[in-house]
Amino acid sequence: MSSRITLSVLKADVGGFVGHGSVHPDMLEKARQTLKQEGKDTLIDFFVTNVGDDINLVLTHREGINSEKIHSLAWKTFLNCTEEAKRLKMYGAGQDLLSDAFSGNIKGMGPGLAEMEFTERTSEPVIVFMADKTEPGAWNLPLYKIFADPFNTIGLVIDPKMHDGFIFEVMDLIEDKLITFSCPRELYDLLVFLGASNRFVVKSIYTNSGEIAAASSTQKLNRMAGRYVGKDDPVLIVRCQNGLPAVGEVLEPFAHPHLVAGWMRGSHYGPIVPVSQKDAVPTRFDGPPRVIAMGFQLADGKLIGPQDLFADVAFDRARQTALKIADYMRGMGPFEPHRLPLDEMEYTTMPQVMGKLKERFK
Ligand code: 13P
Ligand code: 13P
Ligand code: MG
Ligand code: MG
């Protein structure tokens, strides 16, 4: 057991209410009860919320990352929520639990996972981002802006503690390999990869002295299961202030909604809309994709908060812009680039239609 704090965020879609729009309150209550009872010896604190149809568990403890105890607790929690979902006949009950038996580590079993371990600073502000109807690559552009773009983050220029830049750890989801880039020196190399956000995703970011600054969930769920099981609806943890980007610098990229893959049937590009938790109910064309930002101050591992950071009226214009982009994109219906390219769609009838018509291709 470590004196350091571990912050683990685990998420799963184990049933939607209604369709893929939200999570039934009884399921969230079940998650809280389970964590309270079963986690009383291991957890320092926990917070449960949802974004769209995804349940998010924010856990603090001293077991380190990849802890079997913590992962099995989360697994049990999602199982209990699934039981509740089945009782209520929620849509896609158990969707993200890919196995019947827990094998020691939740990685590769369906739920999304972002974790980091650190020594809590005198003041430890953290933001947990949670998104629905999109994929882990959705964090690439904002993470680049937060940790490498001086037009977003003035601290890179004027804060002596940030002036050396940050180290990006990037994962190739296809080859399952990791590479690190030291920025600003290797910024242009980094961008070659981050721009291809369906394949290369930021896994974590460190300061030059090796302190963890950000960690994302990088599971590519559809590929893991070898069949469609839902877009991976990612989470991201970012530590803030005092040598790390300020809270406002971390939120700033979301003032300019970017296009992400996901939305209806996990097969469309659309804008990611920053919303308060109560507005995280994607219904229009099962979207558009949503992101919420829960801010906490840690106090000896206690989660003081959350502050619902995108509730700020200063994000109203971003929301309006995103909705305009949504109208525009929807106008293209089944055509690319609203619809994803063939190899990225999570639903397709192409093989059947092609099979049926192949004799007619001359
Ligand atoms: P720090 O207190 O983390 O240096 O942040 C300064 C600031 O002014 C943020 O906007
Ligand atoms: P989820 O990945 O959020 O379950 O959404 C799936 C879907 O098909 C939405 O149209
Ligand atoms: Mg769903
Ligand atoms: Mg979802």
Side-chain angles (χ1 to χ4, degrees):
M1 202 184 293
S2 165
S3 67
R4 284 151 57 91
I5 301 284
T6 303
L7 177 57
S8 302
V9 182
L10 296 107
K11 53 101 3 202
D13 172 351
V14 291
F17 173 51
V18 173
H20 290 281
S22 189
V23 177
H24 194 281
D26 289 1
M27 292 167 64
L28 295 173
E29 196 40 48
K30 182 58 91 178
R32 290 183 190 110
Q33 273 173 19
T34 308
L35 292 171
K36 194 168 174 192
Q37 284 160 20
E38 312 273 332
K40 60 182 186 304
D41 298 327
T42 37
L43 296 181
I44 304 172
D45 204 356
F46 67 85
F47 172 74
V48 176
T49 191
N50 74 294
V51 54
D53 59 4
D54 291 274
I55 299 179
N56 295 265
L57 316 176
V58 181
L59 313 177
T60 54
H61 55 90
R62 294 185 194 278
E63 305 290 331
I65 65 169
N66 287 319
S67 152
E68 178 166 352
K69 268 192 215 163
I70 298 299
H71 288 200
S72 68
L73 173 62
W75 184 259
K76 175 134 201 226
T77 306
F78 290 134
L79 277 183
N80 287 354
C81 295
T82 301
E83 252 173 50
E84 204 61 22
K86 285 186 174 152
R87 184 178 68 80
L88 298 164
K89 296 188 75 174
M90 291 291 110
Y91 194 69
Q95 170 176 290
D96 283 357
L97 306 185
L98 304 182
S99 166
D100 293 332
F102 180 73
S103 66
N105 190 309
I106 212 161
K107 245 186 239 168
M109 299 194 67
L113 165 71
E115 297 185 289
M116 53 166 74
E117 186 184 12
F118 50 81
T119 304
E120 193 179 285
R121 296 168 293 169
T122 313
S123 181
E124 187 64 63
V126 296
I127 302 176
V128 182
F129 292 96
M130 309 161 188
D132 188 32
K133 305 296 179 270
T134 185
E135 60 180 13
W139 306 131
N140 280 12
L141 188 150
L143 283 173
Y144 164 74
K145 283 190 170 175
I146 296 164
F147 288 96
D149 177 6
F151 278 71
N152 181 88
T153 300
I154 183 62
L156 293 166
V157 183
I158 64 172
D159 182 345
K161 286 193 250 164
M162 288 175 65
H163 200 72
D164 282 344
F166 291 90
I167 293 166
F168 285 68
E169 187 180 31
V170 175
M171 181 159 202
D172 179 343
L173 293 172
I174 299 209
E175 297 282 326
D176 198 21
K177 284 183 179 158
L178 285 171
I179 178 169
T180 58
F181 298 92
S182 181
C183 291
R185 190 164 50 83
E186 299 182 303
L187 211 146
Y188 299 150
D189 289 344
L190 173 75
L191 281 175
V192 172
F193 297 97
L194 288 200
S197 52
N198 69 323
R199 169 160 181 183
F200 298 96
V201 298
V202 180
K203 183 168 190 299
S204 42
I205 295 174
Y206 294 88
T207 65
N208 267 290
S209 52
E211 187 73 13
I212 183 85
S216 80
S217 59
T218 48
Q219 294 76 14
K220 192 112 176 170
L221 193 53
N222 50 338
R223 222 165 248 136
M224 266 165 30
R227 62 185 173 91
Y228 175 74
V229 280
K231 271 281 174 215
D232 352 353
D233 300 338
V235 292
L236 168 69
I237 309 171
V238 185
R239 296 170 75 197
C240 310
Q241 303 290 153
N242 195 21
L244 299 172
V247 167
E249 290 169 334
V250 175
L251 300 176
E252 180 66 7
F254 297 94
H256 303 274
H258 59 294
L259 293 174
V260 297
W263 206 345
M264 174 58 80
R265 297 172 187 271
S267 302
H268 294 80
Y269 280 113
I272 189 157
V273 195
V275 291
S276 67
Q277 198 280 329
K278 74 171 172 42
D279 291 327
V281 186
T283 60
R284 183 187 176 188
F285 199 55
D286 285 2
R290 295 305 139 105
V291 57
I292 63 172
M294 298 280 115
F296 300 92
Q297 291 287 153
L298 294 190
D300 301 314
K302 287 271 176 208
L303 292 157
I304 312 301
Q307 277 281 3
D308 189 347
L309 297 166
F310 287 143
D312 183 0
V313 293
F315 286 96
D316 284 353
R317 283 257 277 278
R319 291 186 261 275
Q320 289 311 313
T321 304
L323 298 188
K324 270 193 201 146
I325 298 169
D327 281 339
Y328 175 79
M329 299 295 284
R330 283 299 302 125
M332 294 196 68
F335 287 80
E336 295 179 24
H338 178 30
R339 204 214 66 204
L340 293 184
L342 285 175
D343 57 337
E344 280 179 50
M345 286 190 297
E346 292 193 342
Y347 278 76
T348 182
T349 47
M350 186 60 123
Q352 291 100 302
V353 176
M354 200 48 139
K356 188 177 70 183
L357 300 181
K358 76 172 179 293
E359 300 306 324
R360 285 166 55 187
F361 274 92
K362 303 289 182 211

